[in-house]
């Protein structure tokens, strides 16, 4: 977005500069012709040298007016930010992405590893017909059942574990699979042993469409090939027709048992756990040509709930995004209830937010999608196509979209987004190549830092533009008015080139390297159509131009009276005027005009550090050493030009009083800027984008949600033991005794507001000779 705006502004400035140069040249030529006609001297061809001087001045005006320093400022700001962003775990692959990230209005984020720690731990399970809120010890199961589950996990996995020198276990590969391998270690089952005993015939890798992974193996002790499969419970359980009883015998899966498994899945997902189901199938023969896995008539093995803790810094990072006017959406392949729990925990899902699954999202028309986008906050069981379609529709609605991705199939969505963010740890090479920025630590808070740096780049470029346009306006007006009024050329071409260097190279270095502040996240993002020059910037530019033009014109037209003492000092009675009697006044005046003009630009650099109505322009100035170094270099350079190289720059040496006067005129731009900022104008960048959550409304909704949860908790605590505000337990319901490892049947729900979503009642009679692992649950 910034490149288009800069092109428009540069073209406009160039046209104005050319017009000013033509008018100035025309005015000077007319004066020259009138003077030549009124002169009685004979014509000489060397008089055309004056026209050549006028032409050189006009070309110089064009050089000063054309913002050739603008690309330099953009490049410096982007390169500086890119280097600093690397320290914040953002590897920028496309330079323009730095600025674009600052204008992001939507962030579509993955869940695993980005919002969560990607530190998987198996915590709950439904195994061998029982539901456990803690992973039980191996003594709870028959060895044959444990071996079957261990083989299903070991051979149908590509991950493995390694040990560090300090004894800590390191995960290599998919973190979910590693969590299952750790669970096997707790049961004294070595996954590598099971892999060596079996031969993999065919592997059906995980795909986002199937949400499953399968492996066909052969083993000497098996009558035929065996197929192991794991995946999303809601997709795998319907394919299961049989299960294992407590004696590890295969029996038909009853409808009642199927409901128990489904209810267990609801319990786990409502607690924010990632669920994974296992099944297998013994076969007589195997068709190696067929690409479709044999996923009919499966035998259900078990179900595991895996916890992935939320990153501690994510809730605050999401709040920062909301305060900055950025709509954060979660796009994940996990179960809807799991996604809603995590989204509510980190502040993405609000009271009136919409959460839906990918299959439902695909059925919507474009108009229907556009109607729900302002409130769509969670998209679960999403495929890469769903993510691409979501990003595409957001961009079609004028949003600036940043999207995260780690898989190969995420490449289209990363390319479609304005800024593609790949994961440096879990991301594939294809995803990294398709992205603009690589998040080195896979952390959502690093994305917020990228937004901060992006806004800093945009503001720094506007600060430089504000400074440059002020110089342009003043220089062009001085050149034209002086030419029209017969004052000649108060600013010589060589002087304008020095001003051009201050305005372009040095100005870019001083203003384009301003470090960001947290206040940048306290405003809304700029829209695609918003003008690069805001009303406040126009006020500052015109206000400073009025002051500088007033000071310069006073010096220009009244300078001979003001500086009569220095003019007299250059007259030597014995030898006559040092520079020629008629040349001394104009030389002194032009030197003072040049000197005061340069000091006005140096002082205005301080004013241009702020783009809004801020009164304190010195806030944070000590954090930018480059700014001070350039200011000092400009002052020293100006002194050398006037006092040492005056012959080359058409200047004359000034005394101490005149230097103080020049410096005072320049410093006058600071209090004048204070007065200008008292003229209050609406701050830019505060307009609310369609679909962006308002921070005030967001906080109100979050307070309402917390108050409702608190009220429900108070009702629960006031209720008599064993009672419920909604229903009473039936007679004959089993109790909830602890198992040998202290686990209970009822999982602890951290968000009471999600309890009302599950209405399933589970009733399991006691099994003779065994502890009851499930009790009546009203969630």
């Amino acid at each position: 977005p910034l490149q288009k705006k800069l092109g428009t502004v540069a073209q406009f400035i160039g046209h104005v500069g050319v017009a000013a140069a033509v008018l100035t040249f025309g005015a000077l030529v007319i004066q020259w012709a009138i003077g030549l006609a009124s002169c009685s001297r004979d014509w000489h061809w060397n008089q055309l040298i004056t026209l050549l001087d006028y032409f050189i001045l006009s070309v110089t005006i064009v050089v000063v007016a054309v913002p050739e320093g603008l690309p330099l400022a953009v490049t410096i700001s982007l390169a500086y930010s890119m280097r600093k962003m690397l320290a914040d775990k953002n590897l920028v692959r496309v330079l323009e992405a730095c600025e674009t990230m600052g204008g992001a209005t939507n962030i579509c984020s993955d869940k695993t590893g980005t919002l969560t720690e990607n530190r998987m731990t198996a915590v709950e399970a439904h195994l061998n017909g029982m539901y456990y809120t803690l992973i039980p010890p191996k003594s709870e199961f028959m060895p044959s059942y444990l071996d079957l589950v261990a083989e299903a996990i070991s051979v149908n996995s590509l991950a493995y574990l390694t040990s560090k020198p300090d004894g800590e276990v390191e995960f290599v590969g998919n973190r979910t699979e590693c969590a299952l391998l750790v669970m096997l270690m707790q049961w004294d089952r070595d996954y590598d042993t099971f892999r060596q005993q079996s031969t993999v015939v065919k592997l059906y890798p995980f795909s986002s469409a199937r949400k499953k992974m399968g492996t066909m193996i052969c083993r000497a002790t098996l009558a035929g090939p065996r197929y192991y499969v794991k995946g999303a419970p809601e997709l795998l359980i319907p394919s299961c027709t049989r299960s294992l009883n407590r004696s590890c015998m295969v029996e038909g899966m009853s409808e009642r048992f199927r409901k128990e498994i489904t209810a267990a899945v609801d319990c786990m997902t409502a607690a924010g756990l990632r669920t994974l189901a296992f099944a297998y199938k013994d076969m007589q023969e195997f068709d190696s040509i067929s690409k479709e896995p044999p996923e009919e008539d499966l035998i259900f093995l078990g179900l595991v709930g895996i916890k992935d803790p939320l990153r501690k810094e994510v809730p605050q990072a999401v709040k920062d995004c909301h305060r900055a006017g950025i709509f954060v959406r979660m796009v994940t392949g996990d179960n809807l209830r799991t996604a809603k729990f995590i989204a509510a925990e980190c502040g993405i899902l609000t009271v009136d937010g919409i959460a839906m699954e990918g299959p439902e999202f695909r059925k919507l028309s474009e108009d229907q999608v556009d109607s729900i986008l302002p409130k769509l906050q969670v998209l679960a069981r999403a495929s890469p196509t769903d993510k691409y379609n979501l990003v595409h529709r957001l961009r079609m609605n004028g949003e600036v979209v940043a999207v995260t991705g780690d898989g190969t199939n995420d490449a289209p969505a990363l390319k479609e987004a304005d800024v593609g963010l790949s994961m440096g740890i879990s991301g594939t090479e294809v995803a990294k190549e398709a992205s603009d920025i690589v998040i080195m630590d896979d952390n959502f808070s690093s994305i917020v830092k990228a937004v901060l740096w992006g806004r800093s780049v945009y503001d720094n470029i506007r600060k430089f533009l504000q400074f440059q346009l002020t110089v342009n306006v003043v220089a062009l007006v001085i050149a034209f008015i002086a030419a029209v009024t017969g004052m000649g050329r108060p600013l010589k071409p060589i002087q304008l080139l020095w001003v051009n260097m201050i305005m372009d190279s040095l100005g870019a270095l001083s203003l384009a390297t301003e470090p960001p502040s947290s206040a940048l996240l306290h405003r809304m993002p700029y829209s695609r159509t918003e003008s690069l020059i805001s009303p406040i910037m126009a006020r500052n530019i015109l206000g400073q131009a009025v002051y500088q033009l007033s000071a310069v014109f006073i010096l220009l037209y009244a300078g001979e009276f003001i500086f009569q003492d220095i003019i007299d000092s250059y007259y030597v009675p014995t030898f006559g005027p040092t520079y020629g009697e008629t040349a001394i006044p104009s030389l002194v005046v032009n030197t003072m005009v040049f000197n005061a003009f340069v000091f006005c630009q140096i002082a205005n650099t301080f004013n241009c550090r702020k783009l809004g109505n801020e009164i304190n322009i010195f806030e944070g100035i000590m954090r930018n050493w480059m700014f001070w170094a350039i200011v000092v270099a400009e002052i020293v350079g100006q002194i050398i030009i006037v006092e040492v190289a005056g012959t080359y720059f058409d200047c004359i040496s000034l005394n101490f009083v005149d230097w103080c006067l020049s410096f005072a005129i320049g410093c006058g731009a600071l209090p004048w800027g204070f007065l200008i900022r008292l003229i209050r104008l609406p701050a830019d960048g505060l307009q609310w984008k369609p679909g962006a959550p308002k921070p005030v409304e967001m906080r109100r909704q979050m307070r309402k949600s917390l108050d409702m949860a608190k009220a429900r908790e108070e009702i629960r605590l006031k209720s008599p033991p064993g009672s419920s505000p909604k229903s009473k337990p039936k007679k004959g319901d089993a109790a909830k005794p602890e198992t040998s490892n202290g686990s209970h049947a009822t999982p602890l729900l951290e968000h009471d507001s999600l309890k009302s979503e599950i209405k399933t009642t589970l009733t399991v009679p006691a099994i003779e000779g065994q502890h009851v692992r499930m009790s009546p649950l009203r969630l």
Side-chain angles (χ1 to χ4, degrees):
L2 178 63
Q3 297 297 327
K4 297 179 181 179
K5 296 178 181 179
L6 287 175
T8 303
V9 172
Q11 187 176 14
F12 173 75
I13 296 175
H15 290 165
V16 173
V18 171
V22 172
L23 291 175
T24 303
F25 181 76
L28 291 173
V29 169
I30 292 174
Q31 287 185 357
W32 174 79
I34 294 174
L36 188 64
S38 61
C39 183
S40 59
R41 292 183 299 178
D42 296 334
W43 165 261
H44 295 286
W45 286 102
N46 57 3
Q47 294 176 350
L48 293 177
I49 296 177
T50 305
L51 290 179
L52 180 61
D53 291 339
Y54 294 162
F55 179 75
I56 293 174
L57 176 63
S58 302
V59 172
T60 306
I61 291 175
V62 174
V63 171
V64 173
V66 173
E68 71 275 5
L70 198 55
L72 176 64
V74 174
T75 303
I76 289 176
S77 185
L78 291 176
Y80 174 79
S81 300
M82 182 182 69
R83 188 167 64 96
K84 292 295 184 180
M85 288 172 68
L86 186 59
D88 288 334
K89 307 300 182 181
N90 288 273
L91 175 61
V92 180
R93 299 185 65 255
V94 179
L95 202 58
E96 293 79 5
C98 296
E99 175 275 326
T100 309
M101 195 65 199
T105 59
N106 276 256
I107 296 179
C108 299
S109 173
D110 290 334
K111 179 185 76 68
T112 304
T114 308
L115 300 174
T116 61
E117 297 179 1
N118 200 17
R119 184 166 51 86
M120 306 289 186
T121 306
V123 293
E124 296 186 13
H126 187 286
L127 299 171
N128 210 189
M130 299 298 167
Y131 177 57
Y132 300 89
T133 55
L134 291 176
I135 299 300
K138 63 179 182 179
S139 59
E140 292 287 330
F141 309 106
M142 296 180 61
S144 57
Y145 178 77
L146 283 181
D147 292 340
L148 191 59
V149 173
E151 185 177 57
I153 293 175
S154 301
V155 301
N156 195 22
S157 171
L158 301 177
Y160 58 94
L161 307 175
T162 59
S163 297
K164 294 183 179 180
D166 57 359
E168 184 181 354
V169 177
E170 183 178 9
F171 291 179
V172 180
N174 185 277
R175 299 302 178 95
T176 303
E177 294 180 348
C178 290
L180 299 176
L181 298 181
V182 171
M183 184 178 69
L184 296 185
M185 292 176 57
Q186 298 174 3
W187 291 339
D188 296 331
R189 295 299 189 272
D190 182 15
Y191 66 91
D192 195 46
T193 302
F194 288 96
R195 290 177 180 177
Q196 294 176 3
Q197 293 175 352
S198 305
T199 302
V200 177
V201 178
K202 189 169 185 179
L203 180 67
Y204 299 90
F206 175 85
S207 69
S208 55
R210 293 176 56 243
K211 302 290 184 185
K212 287 178 283 189
M213 174 182 178
T215 302
M216 186 73 68
I217 68 166
C218 288
R219 184 158 37 89
T221 56
L222 295 176
R226 173 175 287 178
Y227 177 68
Y228 286 109
V229 59
K230 65 182 178 186
E234 63 268 26
L235 299 178
L236 187 59
I237 293 175
S239 301
C240 297
T241 58
R242 293 172 292 171
S243 62
L244 298 176
N245 58 22
R246 296 297 296 178
S247 301
C248 204
M249 301 297 295
V250 178
E251 62 182 15
M253 180 184 291
S254 64
E255 190 64 27
R256 179 181 177 182
F257 184 71
R258 192 181 299 273
K259 290 181 179 180
E260 292 173 3
I261 300 174
T262 304
V265 172
D266 293 339
C267 292
M268 295 179 186
T269 55
L273 303 182
R274 168 178 285 190
T275 54
L276 201 62
F278 307 93
Y280 77 101
K281 179 182 181 180
D282 288 321
M283 306 176 63
Q284 298 297 326
E285 57 183 12
F286 167 60
D287 185 5
S288 59
I289 300 178
S290 177
K291 296 182 179 180
E292 294 296 326
E295 293 178 353
E296 308 87 14
D297 192 24
L298 298 175
I299 301 174
F300 181 78
L301 264 180
L303 173 72
V304 175
I306 300 174
K307 183 176 181 60
D308 187 9
L310 186 71
R311 292 183 183 270
K312 296 180 180 179
E313 61 273 17
V314 165
Q316 182 59 45
V318 173
K319 288 181 181 179
D320 291 339
C321 287
H322 289 163
R323 185 170 61 246
I326 302 174
F327 198 113
V328 183
R329 310 172 195 268
M330 177 193 291
V331 184
T332 178
D334 279 348
N335 183 280
L336 179 61
R337 288 191 176 89
T338 303
K340 290 174 68 175
F341 182 91
I342 298 297
E345 194 175 10
C346 64
I348 294 178
L349 183 61
T350 57
V351 175
D352 61 343
I354 297 177
M356 65 167 52
E357 292 185 330
E360 182 182 355
F361 179 78
R362 290 177 219 131
K363 297 177 182 178
L364 301 178
S365 63
E366 292 185 353
D367 293 337
Q368 291 174 326
V369 171
D370 293 343
S371 65
I372 67 169
L373 282 180
K375 292 187 177 181
L376 180 61
Q377 296 170 344
V378 177
L379 187 61
R381 290 301 184 206
S383 65
T385 304
D386 298 330
K387 181 183 289 188
Y388 174 86
N389 292 334
L390 175 62
V391 173
H392 178 72
R393 290 314 308 167
L394 286 171
R395 295 193 68 211
M396 289 296 101
N397 281 271
E399 304 287 350
V400 180
V401 186
V403 63
T404 65
D406 53 8
T408 302
N409 294 333
D410 290 329
L414 294 172
K415 284 290 187 181
E416 175 65 17
D418 294 282
V419 181
L421 305 167
S422 63
M423 301 295 106
I425 298 176
S426 60
T428 62
E429 290 301 320
V430 175
K432 294 177 183 178
E433 288 294 327
S435 65
D436 303 304
I437 300 176
V438 179
I439 308 301
M440 304 299 292
D441 58 353
D442 293 11
N443 196 333
F444 184 82
S445 62
S446 298
I447 300 176
V448 180
K449 293 177 182 177
V451 173
L452 183 66
W453 277 105
R455 294 192 175 188
S456 177
V457 168
Y458 189 87
D459 274 12
N460 289 346
I461 293 173
R462 298 178 85 202
K463 292 173 185 176
F464 171 76
L465 192 60
Q466 179 177 263
F467 172 72
Q468 187 179 53
L469 290 180
T470 304
V471 182
N472 282 352
V473 170
V474 175
L476 296 179
V477 172
I478 290 175
F480 179 73
I481 297 298
V484 171
T485 57
M487 296 302 294
R489 300 171 296 168
L491 294 176
K492 302 300 187 288
I494 187 67
Q495 296 173 353
L496 287 176
L497 291 178
W498 166 242
V499 171
N500 190 58
M501 184 176 178
I502 294 176
M503 179 179 64
D504 288 343
S505 304
L506 299 180
L509 284 172
S510 61
L511 293 174
T513 56
E514 283 280 328
S517 65
S518 58
L520 294 175
L521 295 177
H522 297 171
R523 69 176 190 217
M524 298 301 102
Y526 297 104
S527 66
R528 293 179 184 271
T529 57
E530 188 171 352
S531 175
L532 195 60
I533 302 175
S534 67
I536 294 182
M537 292 175 60
R539 178 203 65 186
N540 296 339
I541 293 170
L542 296 178
Q544 285 295 327
V546 168
Y547 171 79
Q548 294 182 23
L549 288 172
S550 301
V552 168
F553 285 145
I554 290 174
L555 294 175
L556 187 62
Y557 292 100
E560 292 188 21
F561 302 97
I562 298 174
F563 308 110
Q564 188 62 46
D565 57 338
I566 191 173
I567 293 174
D568 294 340
S569 69
Y570 278 95
Y571 184 81
V572 182
T574 305
F575 302 100
T578 306
Y579 291 92
E581 190 170 355
T582 58
I584 290 177
S586 61
L587 189 60
V588 172
V589 170
N590 290 345
T591 301
M592 285 299 299
V593 168
F594 170 58
N595 216 29
F597 179 70
V598 170
F599 278 111
C600 282
Q601 309 317 318
I602 296 175
N604 192 40
T605 310
F606 289 86
N607 288 318
C608 292
R609 292 186 64 251
K610 301 297 180 181
L611 295 171
N613 295 315
E614 299 94 335
I615 298 299
N616 184 11
I617 61 174
F618 299 101
E619 181 184 1
I621 197 171
M622 301 307 296
R623 296 188 299 157
N624 188 6
W625 64 269
M626 181 78 73
F627 182 89
W628 286 107
I630 290 175
V631 168
V632 172
E634 290 173 347
I635 295 175
V636 173
Q638 181 65 15
I639 295 174
I640 293 175
I641 285 174
V642 174
E643 297 295 332
V644 179
T647 305
Y648 304 101
F649 283 83
D650 289 337
C651 296
I652 195 170
S653 180
L654 301 176
N655 58 33
F656 180 75
V657 175
D658 295 323
W659 273 106
C660 291
L661 179 60
S662 301
F663 188 76
I665 292 173
C667 291
L670 298 178
W672 181 260
F674 173 80
L675 296 176
I676 292 173
R677 286 187 292 275
L678 293 180
I679 305 174
R680 294 290 175 174
L681 293 178
D684 56 346
L686 294 180
Q687 292 76 19
W688 291 97
K689 291 288 296 174
K694 298 183 179 181
V696 176
E697 180 182 347
M698 185 69 62
R699 289 193 291 268
R700 187 183 301 115
Q701 293 173 351
M702 292 177 65
R703 284 196 299 267
K704 181 180 178 181
S705 177
L706 292 175
D707 291 342
M708 293 174 61
K710 184 177 180 181
R712 283 192 294 268
E713 181 67 14
E714 291 177 354
I715 294 174
R716 186 183 66 81
L717 293 175
K718 291 179 181 180
S719 301
S723 65
S724 170
K726 291 185 178 181
S727 63
K728 296 182 179 180
K730 299 178 182 179
K731 293 182 179 181
D733 286 346
K736 295 189 295 183
E738 292 186 356
T739 62
S740 57
N741 69 323
S743 62
H744 290 282
T746 307
L748 178 62
L749 296 182
E750 299 180 15
H751 281 259
D752 293 342
S753 58
L754 298 177
K755 291 181 179 179
S756 59
E757 298 182 4
I758 308 175
K759 304 290 186 179
T760 308
T761 301
L762 310 180
T763 305
V764 182
I767 300 177
E768 185 177 356
Q770 297 288 338
H771 290 294
V772 176
R773 305 299 191 269
M774 300 190 70
S775 64
L777 303 180
R778 170 69 71 177
L779 303 181

